[in-house]
Amino acid sequence: MLRGKQKRQLRALAHHLNPIFQIGKSGITPEMVIGINNSLEKRELIKVSILQNCDIDKDELAETISSRTGSELVQLIGHTIVLYKQSSKEKYRKIELVK
């Protein structure tokens, strides 16, 4: 579970990132979950964009993605979800969270 300072740090780091996944009318597919999980393993911090034609509630969508990938929901702002998951491989760990 992330603390307030850690979430602020991650939000600041995510500010300049571009979304690398888009969720549309088809919702969350198993392939998308695998892709997001792989991206989190390599990058640790990603943005996911929710398109206008998505029928699922964005809060529910963010929680579902977070639980299926085992990641932490850093922020849900507008139609953008920010997710964080520490990489299991030492060589991909780039983010040092404040204590």
Side-chain angles (χ1 to χ4, degrees):
M1 190 73 173
L2 295 172
R3 295 192 331 256
K5 278 186 175 184
Q6 294 169 332
K7 282 190 178 186
R8 278 196 301 275
Q9 176 191 6
L10 291 170
R11 282 196 306 260
L13 291 171
H15 179 72
H16 299 290
L17 296 179
N18 291 322
I20 58 173
F21 287 95
Q22 293 181 334
I23 300 173
K25 194 187 309 184
S26 62
I28 307 167
T29 62
E31 294 81 19
M32 183 178 294
V33 172
I34 292 168
I36 290 172
N37 222 357
N38 291 340
S39 295
L40 283 166
E41 181 64 35
K42 295 233 167 97
R43 300 174 185 226
E44 294 185 311
L45 186 67
I46 64 166
K47 280 185 179 179
V48 179
S49 179
I50 304 169
L51 300 178
Q52 296 289 333
N53 63 352
C54 185
D55 297 332
I56 306 168
D57 178 54
K58 59 186 179 180
D59 295 316
E60 182 182 322
L61 196 62
E63 286 298 322
T64 303
I65 293 173
S66 176
S67 66
R68 286 189 188 174
T69 59
S71 61
E72 295 280 343
L73 177 62
V74 176
Q75 184 178 34
L76 172 62
I77 184 162
H79 291 279
T80 305
I81 302 168
V82 179
L83 298 170
Y84 169 77
K85 182 179 179 183
Q86 186 178 34
S87 179
S88 62
K89 296 182 179 153
E90 195 69 37
K91 67 179 182 177
Y92 294 129
R93 290 188 188 162
K94 300 173 193 126
I95 301 173
E96 280 293 323
L97 292 177
V98 293
K99 299 284 178 193

